[in-house]
Amino acid sequence: MTVDINLDKNSYKIYINELENLEFDGSVGVVTNQTVGALWLADLLGRIKAKSVTLIAIPDGEAYKNLDTLNLILEQLFNAKLDRKSTLIALGGGVVSDITGFAASIYQRGIDFINIPTTLLSMVDASVGGKTGINNKFGKNLIGSFYQPKAVYCHTKYLKTLPNREFSAGVAEAIKMAVMFDGKFFEFFKKSDLKAKDDVIYLIEKCVKIKADIVNQDEKESGIRAVLNYGHTFAHVIENQTNYSKFLHGEAVAIGINMANNLAQKLGLLSKDESKQVREVLEKFSLPVSYKIKDTKNFYEHFKLDKKSLNSKIKFILPNGIGNFKIKDDVKEELVIQTLKEFI
Amino acid sequence: MTVDINLDKNSYKIYINELENLEFDGSVGVVTNQTVGALWLADLLGRIKAKSVTLIAIPDGEAYKNLDTLNLILEQLFNAKLDRKSTLIALGGGVVSDITGFAASIYQRGIDFINIPTTLLSMVDASVGGKTGINNKFGKNLIGSFYQPKAVYCHTKYLKTLPNREFSAGVAEAIKMAVMFDGKFFEFFKKSDLKAKDDVIYLIEKCVKIKADIVNQDEKESGIRAVLNYGHTFAHVIENQTNYSKFLHGEAVAIGINMANNLAQKLGLLSKDESKQVREVLEKFSLPVSYKIKDTKNFYEHFKLDKKSLNSKIKFILPNGIGNFKIKDDVKEELVIQTLKEFI
């Protein structure tokens, strides 16, 4: 099946479990990481027809989503003499697609980009929205661009080689969407253990459609799209404090969801039982829900560097019951500190 | 007066010799170089009202339009905690505006950008079109983005402190536009010595309007906009071979124009007399028209890396009489080599 992302000149299709042969008039660069490359590169190369194909393998891990790796990708593209009619393909998880999309957006002021996500997280989250970027010492995704792919190919075959922990990290982002937008979809997570392929396809389709709806309304994140950052305000600080190495992104988001729910409870937006339901679903998929905060004041200050905080006002994305959201930018510091203290 | 650049959501105005006070709700970063900063920063700061203003001075010169300087700018913006509602202002020539526009386009995935060009070249050329970028060891402007400013302020007061050589470099780009698009405008260069302020305002207005017309038709350089690269195919190689240090960009363009005209003559597109008229106007403004090529084959090979050469076909932008252009991508290598040999 396919899902259309309608963005005028930047429209594209997301193909779910549809195998396509990829044909190009020009040259192609394929960026993957060493782990995914060993498993899936041969399969992909067998389906590409192009003038020339250049392979670029980057080290595996969020720690490499930085300026040095970006520069390494760009230099290899220049060495291979890719021109403005060339296409860059990302084969991998969020790190590969974020950095490859960014490279495509700035190589000779922008060349075509195709995204082939191989993790559940990047299928449900990173494959829609056109966010590209890299991390630096100040935080996550602080340098980047909005750049839409020409096409996205999601396929569950890639999930067969995905470690369980990474699969669960993807489930966290799916749960995030259910809690924010769709109470019925949340019920699905109570029933399914996601062992059946059809359940996984349903999950991907559902998430892609929810996110496509949001992005169609708000391509550059000036309004409702910010809701997708539920859990992320907390998660970004946690990832930064643990050097992007202790938790997978989705795991940090699971903790962030639980922290946001704790705050939502204090504001009367979520009942104790609803908060517990969400926590139990997260735990069912072996996701972490707590993190020891060393210095609550320092943790709070870190929020202010977040891209979503306008002029130092901290914006919290909170559930308003399960299936609805509320954006609050006037939460009292004491209340947030109180929430953070429950995680010491 | 103002010139409108109509690009739907990305529309903006170019103000020519209109002084405006600049007011912002959010924070502002001002990027300038050390030379321009010493002359004009105080004047600009007196006109800015903002929540906070952060100054960033980069070294003066094309050699610094690189990844290191870009990173230095970004880090200072993060240190100053500029958020997504902040604005970045470029005060300087093409180097400052190219790198500042690029920084604005990737800082937190894009913040507002205002351009205040202080050289004639950046007023007539870089102020319209949204091209941003940096150089690397493979060539000029090979990394960058298309990113439109929110406003451009051109003012002839800045030209009072501009060295003559740099003024002439700007005139070269203006002559380029006249030869490509407007035979009557070319006559202006035969008559005026550009000492009168009104003549300079006329020149800026004329160039901005010509370029605005082109960019309105072709925002991302898929077609007619390539014509603005008349002289540049040759100029980029010259600049690269001389490490961006011997010639100013406009000077290299002047040489490139003369080389392109030589080739156009061989193709019967330009008469010997027309070629001479253009050369004489260039020389009238003390612009160089020749460059000793050491290795013609090597010079030719370098064309192929140019962004404008699709799939290794080299595209030449040539005058078709004065005031008209012709794009040729089937020029025989021997003919080009013959032209290059006349510059040995």
Side-chain angles (χ1 to χ4, degrees):
Chain A
M1 67 160 305
T2 63
V3 179
D4 285 303
I5 309 292
N6 299 310
L7 300 162
D8 298 326
K9 279 183 289 180
N10 298 324
S11 298
Y12 64 95
K13 278 184 201 303
I14 299 181
Y15 300 85
I16 303 175
N17 273 37
E18 290 201 9
L19 265 181
E20 289 236 350
N21 290 321
L22 301 167
E23 290 188 27
F24 305 90
D25 289 334
S27 298
V28 164
V30 177
V31 181
T32 188
N33 70 40
Q34 281 139 356
T35 314
V36 174
L39 295 163
W40 291 103
L41 199 53
D43 172 79
L44 176 64
L45 292 179
R47 291 188 287 118
I48 294 179
K49 272 188 196 165
K51 204 180 138 200
S52 73
V53 179
T54 301
L55 302 178
I56 300 170
I58 63 175
D60 189 3
E62 184 84 32
Y64 297 97
K65 201 172 101 174
N66 58 28
L67 199 63
D68 287 342
T69 307
L70 176 74
N71 203 26
L72 182 124
I73 293 171
L74 294 171
E75 296 216 340
Q76 290 187 65
L77 299 178
F78 285 115
N79 276 325
K81 298 193 177 179
L82 263 71
D83 65 16
R84 292 171 96 173
K85 292 283 173 192
S86 302
T87 300
L88 209 51
I89 299 176
L91 175 72
V95 170
V96 171
S97 78
D98 284 359
I99 200 167
T100 306
F102 189 34
S105 78
I106 64 174
Y107 185 78
Q108 303 203 1
R109 296 202 188 96
I111 59 173
D112 284 355
F113 169 51
I114 286 180
N115 190 15
I116 306 180
T118 59
T119 65
L120 184 63
L121 186 134
S122 57
M123 289 179 197
V124 302
D125 192 51
S127 69
V128 191
K131 283 190 182 181
T132 79
I134 54 175
N135 308 323
N136 68 6
K137 66 180 178 192
F138 297 94
K140 215 167 124 66
N141 295 318
L142 288 178
I143 299 173
S145 59
F146 284 97
Y147 198 69
Q148 304 298 337
K150 290 292 160 191
V152 177
Y153 297 91
C154 297
H155 205 290
T156 52
K157 68 178 176 182
Y158 297 117
L159 303 177
K160 283 185 246 163
T161 54
L162 189 70
N164 290 338
R165 210 181 136 194
E166 294 223 27
F167 183 83
S168 289
V171 176
E173 293 278 357
I175 292 169
K176 172 197 81 177
M177 295 202 205
V179 176
M180 286 288 100
F181 301 106
D182 194 331
K184 211 179 128 200
F185 184 31
F186 182 74
E187 295 300 311
F188 164 83
F189 291 99
K190 290 189 187 166
K191 288 172 212 140
S192 174
D193 59 4
L194 292 171
K195 301 281 183 215
K197 183 174 128 183
D198 283 350
D199 277 8
V200 179
I201 291 177
Y202 170 76
L203 177 148
I204 296 169
E205 185 194 329
K206 194 84 191 162
C207 287
V208 163
K209 280 185 172 167
I210 290 175
K211 191 156 178 191
D213 258 6
I214 304 293
V215 174
N216 284 348
Q217 288 173 56
D218 180 17
E219 186 179 350
K220 295 210 175 158
E221 198 166 58
S222 32
I224 189 178
R225 186 163 170 182
V227 176
L228 296 168
N229 289 302
Y230 169 44
H232 285 62
T233 309
F234 296 91
H236 286 167
V237 184
I238 294 168
E239 288 183 284
N240 189 266
Q241 289 189 344
T242 53
N243 285 312
Y244 305 99
S245 57
K246 188 172 174 189
F247 298 107
L248 297 173
H249 176 64
E251 291 174 339
V253 168
I255 300 167
I257 286 174
N258 196 38
M259 287 179 171
N261 287 2
N262 180 305
L263 183 60
Q265 243 181 280
K266 289 189 173 43
L267 290 161
L269 294 168
L270 203 67
S271 72
K272 198 177 167 184
D273 177 62
E274 287 168 324
S275 185
K276 185 164 162 267
Q277 283 178 53
V278 177
R279 196 172 58 244
E280 282 175 357
V281 162
L282 292 170
E283 286 174 331
K284 173 178 166 184
F285 293 100
S286 312
L287 287 160
V289 292
S290 64
Y291 165 73
K292 287 213 183 309
I293 296 173
K294 279 177 206 114
D295 179 343
T296 53
K297 187 74 192 162
N298 176 280
F299 195 101
Y300 186 83
E301 284 304 311
H302 209 112
F303 286 141
K304 291 184 183 163
L305 195 65
D306 195 282
K307 287 190 299 302
K308 284 92 208 171
S309 66
L310 306 178
N311 295 306
S312 303
K313 263 193 187 174
I314 304 166
K315 206 196 282 187
F316 288 99
I317 318 292
L318 302 167
N320 190 7
I322 290 174
N324 289 295
F325 62 85
K326 183 110 187 168
I327 303 176
K328 299 277 281 179
D329 66 356
D330 59 353
V331 181
K332 290 216 177 77
E333 179 170 342
E334 304 89 79
L335 214 60
V336 181
I337 295 284
Q338 217 177 302
T339 285
L340 296 178
K341 280 192 173 156
E342 292 179 31
F343 288 84
I344 283 179
Chain B
M1 66 159 308
T2 62
V3 178
D4 287 303
I5 310 292
N6 300 308
L7 300 163
D8 298 326
K9 278 182 288 182
N10 298 324
S11 297
Y12 64 95
K13 277 184 202 303
I14 299 181
Y15 300 86
I16 303 175
N17 273 37
E18 290 202 9
L19 265 181
E20 288 236 350
N21 290 322
L22 302 167
E23 291 189 26
F24 305 91
D25 289 334
S27 297
V28 164
V30 177
V31 182
T32 187
N33 71 40
Q34 281 140 357
T35 313
V36 174
L39 295 163
W40 291 104
L41 199 53
D43 171 80
L44 176 64
L45 292 179
R47 291 187 288 119
I48 294 179
K49 273 189 194 163
K51 205 181 139 199
S52 73
V53 179
T54 302
L55 301 179
I56 300 170
I58 63 176
D60 189 2
E62 184 83 32
Y64 297 98
K65 201 172 102 174
N66 58 27
L67 199 62
D68 287 342
T69 307
L70 177 75
N71 203 26
L72 183 125
I73 293 171
L74 293 170
E75 295 216 341
Q76 290 187 65
L77 299 178
F78 285 114
N79 275 325
K81 299 193 177 180
L82 262 72
D83 65 16
R84 292 171 96 173
K85 291 284 172 194
S86 303
T87 299
L88 208 52
I89 299 177
L91 175 72
V95 170
V96 171
S97 77
D98 284 359
I99 200 166
T100 305
F102 189 34
S105 78
I106 65 174
Y107 185 78
Q108 303 204 1
R109 297 203 188 95
I111 59 173
D112 283 355
F113 168 51
I114 285 180
N115 190 16
I116 305 180
T118 58
T119 65
L120 184 63
L121 185 133
S122 58
M123 290 179 196
V124 301
D125 192 51
S127 69
V128 190
K131 282 189 182 182
T132 78
I134 54 175
N135 308 324
N136 68 6
K137 65 180 176 190
F138 297 93
K140 214 168 125 69
N141 294 318
L142 288 178
I143 299 173
S145 59
F146 284 97
Y147 198 70
Q148 304 298 337
K150 289 292 161 193
V152 177
Y153 296 92
C154 296
H155 205 289
T156 52
K157 69 179 175 182
Y158 296 117
L159 303 177
K160 282 185 249 163
T161 54
L162 188 70
N164 290 338
R165 212 183 133 193
E166 295 223 26
F167 183 83
S168 290
V171 176
E173 293 278 357
I175 292 169
K176 172 197 80 177
M177 295 200 204
V179 176
M180 288 287 101
F181 301 106
D182 194 331
K184 212 180 130 200
F185 183 31
F186 182 75
E187 294 300 312
F188 164 83
F189 291 99
K190 291 190 188 166
K191 288 173 214 141
S192 175
D193 60 2
L194 292 170
K195 301 282 184 217
K197 182 173 130 185
D198 283 349
D199 277 8
V200 179
I201 292 177
Y202 170 76
L203 178 148
I204 296 169
E205 185 194 330
K206 195 83 191 165
C207 287
V208 162
K209 280 185 173 169
I210 291 175
K211 190 156 179 190
D213 258 5
I214 305 292
V215 174
N216 284 350
Q217 287 174 56
D218 180 16
E219 186 180 351
K220 295 209 176 160
E221 199 167 58
S222 32
I224 190 178
R225 186 163 169 184
V227 176
L228 296 168
N229 289 301
Y230 169 43
H232 285 62
T233 310
F234 296 92
H236 286 167
V237 184
I238 294 169
E239 289 184 283
N240 189 266
Q241 289 190 345
T242 53
N243 285 312
Y244 305 99
S245 57
K246 187 172 175 189
F247 298 108
L248 297 173
H249 176 62
E251 291 175 338
V253 168
I255 299 168
I257 286 173
N258 197 37
M259 287 180 171
N261 288 2
N262 180 306
L263 183 60
Q265 243 182 281
K266 289 190 175 37
L267 291 160
L269 294 168
L270 203 67
S271 73
K272 200 178 165 181
D273 177 62
E274 287 168 325
S275 186
K276 185 165 162 265
Q277 284 178 50
V278 177
R279 197 173 57 244
E280 282 176 358
V281 162
L282 292 170
E283 286 174 332
K284 173 178 168 184
F285 293 101
S286 312
L287 288 160
V289 292
S290 64
Y291 164 72
K292 285 213 183 310
I293 296 173
K294 279 177 208 113
D295 179 343
T296 54
K297 187 73 192 162
N298 176 278
F299 195 102
Y300 185 83
E301 285 303 312
H302 208 113
F303 286 141
K304 291 186 182 162
L305 196 66
D306 195 280
K307 287 190 298 302
K308 284 93 207 172
S309 67
L310 306 178
N311 295 305
S312 303
K313 262 193 186 173
I314 304 167
K315 208 196 281 187
F316 289 100
I317 317 293
L318 302 168
N320 190 6
I322 290 175
N324 289 295
F325 63 86
K326 182 108 186 169
I327 304 177
K328 299 277 281 179
D329 67 356
D330 59 353
V331 182
K332 290 216 177 75
E333 180 171 341
E334 304 89 79
L335 214 61
V336 182
I337 293 285
Q338 218 177 300
T339 286
L340 296 177
K341 279 191 175 157
E342 293 179 30
F343 288 86
I344 284 180

